[in-house]
Amino acid sequence: MKLGLAGKFAIVGGSSEGIGYAIARLLAEEGAGVAMVARGGEALAASAKRIADETGARTLAIPADIRRAEDCARIVATAAAEFGRLDILVNNDGAPPLGALLEFDDAAWDKAVQQNLMSVVRLCRDAVPHMRAAGGGRIVNITALSVLQPIPKFGLSVATWAAVIGYAKTLSLEVASDAITVNTICPGRIETTRLAKVYTSDSLQQLAKEVPLGRLGQPAEIASLVALLVSERGAYITGSTFHVDGGRRANLL
Ligand SMILES: NC(=O)c1ccc[n+]([C@@H]2O[C@H](COP(=O)([O-])OP(=O)(O)OC[C@H]3O[C@@H](n4cnc5c(N)ncnc54)[C@H](OP(=O)(O)O)[C@@H]3O)[C@@H](O)[C@H]2O)c1
């Protein structure tokens, strides 16, 4: 299937490793230029170089912390200036800490809002004018299955990503006439270093057993859906929320 990504330029958040890396790698393989973002500059530079070497695509490493307003502005400005255009924004990074909701103070809530919600608000706000200038665009947010099926101790993410889903749906209506689509993906258990850190008391084998397909997902399996959504083939898909979880979501719809 031809995705038509050659000549397109993307920003992919949290892409030095894990799901973001797999997304950046696949978009590059499909011919897009990719601006990659993470805080750790050394690992990010190595990942960007590896993808450029392996795919021949243009990559750009932008070390930044998406919790900071000034970093969000710099990410979009740098990518647009270097590439000359911007077609795709994938909002992805880490996540706030786990813990019981009633134990988080205002400072912890503020950090979570900056990380999960305000980063999306700021990056979209700055990226959309470039997409309009390019004649269209694609925005994909990576959240988590726990937003659709909440889990105790994941509340900071559940609450702030639920807001992202509301933001994305509304934005999709407001930018539809500009041929810009906005969608959200909710991954289930995906085999990354983060998964092992989050579930310290369960073995990966135990986590896999609880998935109907009997295994953990791979980062590349999230990247596949992102590639479709940001491609020409995904032009009619907007305002949607997808769960990619090996069958774990219990609801009918
Ligand atoms: N893995 C799963 O099972 C799973 C399931 C559902 C949802 N998710 C969500 O999907 C996202 C990616 O997860 P993952 O498993 O791929 O995580 P990961 O392997 O830990 O990778 C996270 C990436 O984001 C970067 N990052 C973290 N905080 C950042 C910040 N403040 N600013 C800029 N970059 C930042 C990290 O680099 P630096 O640390 O150097 O910044 C790294 O490149 C997370 O939001 C996670 O909650 C994951």
Side-chain angles (χ1 to χ4, degrees), residues 202-226:
D202 298 284
S203 71
L204 293 187
Q205 273 175 330
Q206 182 54 39
L207 293 177
K209 268 194 206 155
E210 293 163 6
V211 179
L213 282 180
R215 63 177 178 83
L216 299 173
Q218 293 304 309
E221 293 175 307
I222 302 298
S224 304
L225 178 55
V226 174

Side-chain angles (χ1 to χ4, degrees), residues 80-210:
E82 289 286 328
F83 292 149
R85 61 183 286 151
L86 188 58
D87 307 277
I88 298 162
L89 169 65
V90 181
N91 289 310
N92 170 72
D93 59 279
L98 304 187
L101 281 177
L102 300 180
E103 284 167 20
F104 289 116
D105 61 14
D106 283 6
W109 275 99
D110 189 46
K111 269 192 195 164
V113 169
Q114 294 300 320
Q115 173 145 26
N116 280 5
L117 176 61
M118 287 313 297
S119 62
V120 173
V121 170
R122 290 171 177 136
L123 289 164
C124 289
R125 195 169 52 205
D126 284 0
V128 162
H130 294 287
M131 293 178 182
R132 284 185 171 135
R138 301 280 187 269
I139 297 170
V140 178
N141 306 308
I142 305 298
T143 62
L145 179 63
S146 56
V147 183
L148 304 176
Q149 196 164 281
I151 311 172
K153 308 273 171 71
F154 284 71
L156 286 182
S157 281
V158 172
T160 50
W161 274 334
V164 166
I165 292 176
Y167 175 86
K169 181 68 193 173
T170 313
L171 184 65
S172 75
L173 301 172
E174 293 178 359
V175 298
S177 60
D178 298 305
I180 298 170
T181 68
V182 188
N183 293 289
T184 302
I185 297 177
C186 303
R189 291 175 177 168
I190 308 300
E191 198 168 359
T192 66
T193 48
R194 177 176 170 78
L195 187 74
K197 275 186 216 157
V198 168
Y199 291 96
T200 42
S201 53
D202 298 284
S203 71
L204 293 187
Q205 273 175 330
Q206 182 54 39
L207 293 177
K209 268 194 206 155
E210 293 163 6

